[in-house]
Amino acid sequence: MVDDLELEILQCAREIKPAGGVSGVAYELERQLTQAGKLSDRFTIESLNIRKGAWASSRSLILRKIQLFRDVVGYSVIGTYILKRKYQRRRQLVSICHNDVLFGDIYVNHGLHKEMWLQSKSPIRMLLRNPLHLFLLVREWLRFRLNVHRRVVCFSKSEGDLLVKHYPNAKSMLEIIPNGVDIERFTVDPTQRTDIRKRLGIEDDNFLLIFVGHEFERKGLAYIIHALTGLPDTVQLLVIGGGAEQNIQRYVTLSEEAGVAERVHFLGTRRDVPALMNASDMFVMPSYFEAWPLVGLEAMACGVPALMTAVGGVPDFLQDGVNGFIIQRSSDDLQEKIQLVLGDAALHARMRHGARETAVRYAWNVIAARYLALARQVRAEKTDA
């Protein structure tokens, strides 16, 4: 067995920062690995020094898309080349890759682009609107056809099954490790409820739904807005995220046409998401595709039950009547589930308690320990090779 003191870990992610999505997962894992004294280095887009210019702050959607294309392609291609030259022969090092680069002993699969493309309502239109999708599909095909990695981590068994379905040769590399949640940042804090609601002009006895995400179409915001039309006026909705202004405006218009504009609060990107969740009564996300929607667990960590479709790893942590409900991608089903909770305060209280209990089982220190165990195993294999 390899001496644990020799274990060093490199994390590769285009961005590593406290946020949602891939960058947030890499950030939380980095924190835990650093505390364990096992993080050797990180490799991000900043390592390439290609992010010069003012495009990042530009209000032009076209310029931002060009920058994203440059960053993704540049980090994927140039990053792969640099990583192979610098780290390929360092046997004592275990590298963990989050998307993009075709390098790494352990690949963390944050979602299969091929599956998302197939689930899209209009795959061809999706490619025509954004050619970057074609690059991502080719890169994914190369990743699994060339057996780039020693292990591939999927967040749930269902995601693992999808991986093997599309890329059968990945079966021998598969590991299931769920995503973690920061239960200290996302925690139950009743004091925030009154303050946030007062600032937003929402009455304390209103039933407040919360939606968090940037891809409104994929995550099903339209279904929630339409569901409001069949619910009491006391049911209101917070919408966090949205990306480009024109994307948000399209859904503002939708809420106006549905006659519920005064009940839908578009707040854009926010830094106080935990506080907003604590002000809410239920998290809602009728998405058609997710790998492991961490935001659902973040809501649960704040004691907020969830209404989510059975996509990706959702069935692994969401139990009907315990911490929320599995829903259909349907406004009628949303109305039915919300009415159940509106009419049963005791049920809502039990689900609040169950939500927090569920989240604690996915605390980052628990999840990071599993990554460390896997890294030790890979390190031993590299030594013996």
Side-chain angles (χ1 to χ4, degrees), residues 62-333:
I62 294 176
L63 284 180
R64 289 204 305 271
K65 282 190 173 183
I66 291 173
Q67 178 187 281
L68 178 62
F69 188 92
R70 179 196 65 181
D71 286 356
V72 172
V73 175
Y75 183 73
S76 298
V77 177
I78 303 172
T80 297
Y81 174 76
I82 292 174
L83 284 164
K84 284 187 174 182
R85 287 195 60 187
K86 189 174 181 180
Y87 295 105
Q88 187 91 48
R89 298 181 181 179
R90 289 180 57 177
R91 290 178 176 249
Q92 79 278 14
L93 188 77
V94 174
S95 47
I96 300 176
C97 166
H98 301 261
N99 284 9
D100 295 324
V101 293
L102 297 177
F103 178 85
D105 299 300
I106 300 170
Y107 175 67
V108 184
N109 176 38
H110 290 265
L112 287 170
H113 211 78
K114 183 177 180 180
E115 180 65 18
M116 185 180 73
W117 178 66
L118 291 173
Q119 291 292 333
S120 170
K121 289 182 179 179
S122 179
I124 301 303
R125 189 182 71 169
M126 181 174 152
L127 291 178
L128 291 175
R129 287 176 60 184
N130 188 353
L132 181 60
H133 289 298
L134 181 59
F135 173 81
L136 299 179
L137 286 167
V138 172
R139 187 187 66 190
E140 182 176 280
W141 184 87
L142 289 171
R143 183 184 307 284
F144 295 114
R145 290 296 180 181
L146 299 179
N147 295 327
V148 171
H149 313 285
R150 290 174 177 268
R151 295 288 193 282
V152 177
V153 171
C154 286
F155 300 138
S156 66
K157 183 181 181 302
S158 61
E159 281 300 296
D161 292 342
L162 279 176
L163 174 67
V164 174
K165 171 188 171 183
H166 293 302
Y167 307 102
N169 58 317
K171 186 175 183 178
S172 61
M173 300 178 280
L174 183 61
E175 298 282 344
I176 306 297
I177 302 179
N179 228 334
V181 61
D182 184 348
I183 61 171
E184 295 175 0
R185 179 172 177 240
F186 292 90
T187 190
V188 179
D189 185 356
T191 63
Q192 294 178 329
R193 179 183 177 93
T194 303
D195 180 54
I196 290 291
R197 286 184 175 229
K198 185 177 180 180
R199 278 191 275 154
L200 296 176
I202 297 171
E203 298 295 329
D204 191 58
D205 60 351
N206 285 167
F207 193 86
L208 189 58
L209 307 172
I210 185 168
F211 169 96
V212 182
H214 291 298
E215 298 179 60
F216 286 174
E217 182 178 351
R218 173 165 67 88
K219 294 180 184 289
L221 178 57
Y223 294 99
I224 310 172
I225 291 174
H226 286 303
L228 288 177
T229 62
L231 292 167
D233 290 346
T234 52
V235 179
Q236 300 199 31
L237 171 66
L238 297 184
V239 179
I240 316 302
E245 182 62 33
Q246 51 265 55
N247 185 42
I248 297 176
Q249 187 55 49
R250 186 155 62 99
Y251 285 85
V252 170
T253 302
L254 178 64
S255 68
E256 292 170 346
E257 291 172 348
V260 295
E262 293 184 356
R263 297 160 59 192
V264 184
H265 308 266
F266 291 89
L267 304 184
T269 301
R270 298 282 293 239
R271 295 182 179 273
D272 58 344
V273 173
L276 292 165
M277 285 179 169
N278 269 283
S280 304
D281 297 299
M282 186 154 277
F283 171 79
V284 192
M285 194 176 74
S287 180
Y288 72 72
F289 176 79
E290 301 287 335
W292 182 273
L294 180 56
V295 66
L297 271 175
E298 290 172 342
M300 287 186 181
C302 296
V304 180
L307 296 174
M308 304 174 74
T309 41
V311 293
V314 171
D316 288 13
F317 62 80
L318 183 54
Q319 295 176 272
D320 280 343
V322 175
N323 50 25
F325 286 106
I326 295 288
I327 57 172
Q328 302 298 316
R329 198 168 153 88
S330 150
S331 297
D332 290 341
D333 192 51

